[in-house]
Amino acid sequence: MEKILRGMTDTMNSVKPPRITALQDLHDAETGPFSILIGTILSARTKDEATTKAVKALFSKYKNPKELANAKIKDVEKIIKSIGFYHVKSKRIIEVAKIIDKKYKGKVPDNLDTLVQLPGVGRKTANCVLVYAFEKPAIPVDIHVHRISNRLGLVDTKNPEETEQELMKKIQKKYWIDINDTFVMYGQNICKPISPMCDVCKIKKMCKYYKSKNVS
């Protein structure tokens, strides 16, 4: 896994240093677990640039769970209208804010079982919070992680849930935190869903997909 992660980073840097992901941006800015939780919910089916912009605008007005919990849906919708499904997401993040404020006294839970009980929070979102907010070992699996893991031959799975379980079995825990961010950037910039840039990829010799496409 170390060779894979390093090869991905070297490839991206040799082509064009990628823009960091929205969640890594929030982590680096030390915005706190609550903004990362909300940012992860907002990021679904939304480009990183739009997510980052929406989260920053949202938290410039609502500083904590209590303030967001008391916000009006229409006001939140105006702020995050540039992202996908903003009507649904506005209601959802206010609902989550109310639970965090009242049930957890303003503090985001730092364990998977509790996080997935929050409305709209599945395993991927919960794992993102563990990684980016608390720096706890977890493997958030989105479409990029799922696709690349299967292309490389690390797993042979049909959905992200299966991929997460298989990666947890096969990969040392010390690499878990780095997988999502690196795989996502690689999926966005190099190993794209259509026409992956195999010619520049520095790990293609380890890739099942590349080998299958280049059988003589």
Side-chain angles (χ1 to χ4, degrees), residues 60-84:
S60 68
K61 182 169 184 177
Y62 306 108
K63 308 296 184 182
N64 52 55
K66 184 178 289 295
E67 290 185 9
L68 183 56
N70 292 320
K72 294 180 180 179
I73 292 176
K74 289 184 178 180
D75 291 338
V76 173
E77 286 180 342
K78 290 178 182 178
I79 295 174
I80 69 167
K81 65 181 180 180
S82 62
I83 69 172

Side-chain angles (χ1 to χ4, degrees), residues 19 22 29-30 42 51 78 88 91 93-94 96 100 105 107 142 173 176 182-183 205 215:
R19 183 190 182 282
E30 298 182 353
L42 296 181
T51 299
K78 290 178 182 178
V88 174
K91 295 178 183 178
I93 62 175
I94 290 174
V96 168
I100 296 297
K105 299 180 180 179
K107 293 185 177 181
D142 68 350
K173 190 173 285 189
W176 289 9
T182 305
F183 276 47
K205 291 183 179 179
V215 176

Side-chain angles (χ1 to χ4, degrees), residues 122-176:
R123 289 188 66 90
K124 191 207 82 172
T125 297
N127 281 327
C128 280
V129 174
L130 294 179
V131 168
Y132 294 99
F134 299 107
E135 296 185 359
K136 287 192 168 186
I139 305 179
V141 177
D142 68 350
I143 55 173
H144 297 295
V145 178
H146 176 61
R147 179 178 70 255
I148 294 173
S149 295
N150 275 277
R151 279 183 175 174
L152 285 172
L154 292 172
V155 299
D156 182 11
T157 54
K158 292 182 172 59
N159 57 60
E161 291 75 20
E162 290 181 7
T163 299
E164 180 195 348
Q165 296 303 317
E166 287 301 307
L167 290 176
M168 288 172 66
K169 292 176 186 176
K170 296 178 178 180
I171 296 173
Q172 290 179 274
K173 190 173 285 189
K174 65 181 180 179
Y175 298 116
W176 289 9

